[in-house]
Amino acid sequence: MSKFGNKKKNTIQTFIKKKAKGEKIVVLTAYDAFMASLLDRAGVDSLLVGDSASNVLHGHKSTLPITMDIMVAHTAAVARGTEHALIIADMPFLSFQPSIETAILNAGRFLKEGGAEAVKIEGGLEMVSTVKRVIECGIPVMGHIGLTPQSIHRFGGPKVQGRKDKSQTYLKESALALEEVGCFSCVLELMETETAAAITSSLKTMATIGIGAGPNCDGQVLVINDMLGLMDEGFRPKFLRQYADLPPVITEAVKAFIADVTSGQYPSEDESY
Ligand code: KIV
């Protein structure tokens, strides 16, 4: 029994069982220990240490600049704050594309140094042989198809995927191939609802986790900063439901601190030694 009750540690089997029972899977991103602990205690099934950290924490315009070392540090922090949720680390740009050996060694770092229990690898059919070898090495893999942000320049922007026959066929074949080599789950990002629904129902064991892919996936994921309102003002994709608006709360707290310090009201006698 853990300090948060007798709920067990989630594993990749949790995803597979939930899909089989038709129970929705809830995933959020996390990048640090404190937030991970909050989300874990709130009851999410899994925490994804997304390479979205590049945008939402480090201020880059894309996910391309973030490095393995930074992602491993974020993953280790999340692992320190998590008791129950399955921890999935996102493999950053060029940490798996150059060769299968590179992919295995970097995926292994997330388990050895970061305390992750699975990794996420972007890409469909073209990545299947890499994903297969990583899984054969004992490292569970979550796939990621649809709009894969590491290829944003190839897509020419955040364009909804699966709208044309050719793209639908590629996505469906990719999902089946990823399931075949043993992925336990797969993110479907920015994809037409019907395509995501068809993919989800065609899969027996690989759970689909949607983001901008409609309601018929086996689960949903959001970037924690986005759902709390902690993102650029210009970033308002249609799929994003904002569950809190933290910027005004933070601004008010900081303004109150500035006022108290400048007027000499902080610290008080009680707050002094
Ligand atoms: O990096 C990330 O946060 C992701 C999710 C949006 C799926 O890949």
Side-chain angles (χ1 to χ4, degrees), residues 117 123 177 222:
E117 292 134 356
L222 281 179

Side-chain angles (χ1 to χ4, degrees), residues 197-209:
I199 288 174
T200 301
S201 62
S202 73
L203 301 167
K204 291 187 184 69
T205 54
M206 186 173 81
T208 59
I209 308 297

Side-chain angles (χ1 to χ4, degrees), residues 29 48 50-52 90 120 144 187 211 221 223:
T29 68
L48 170 66
D51 62 357
S52 49
D90 208 357
K120 177 165 81 58
H144 185 160
V187 169
I211 175 162
V221 58
V223 170

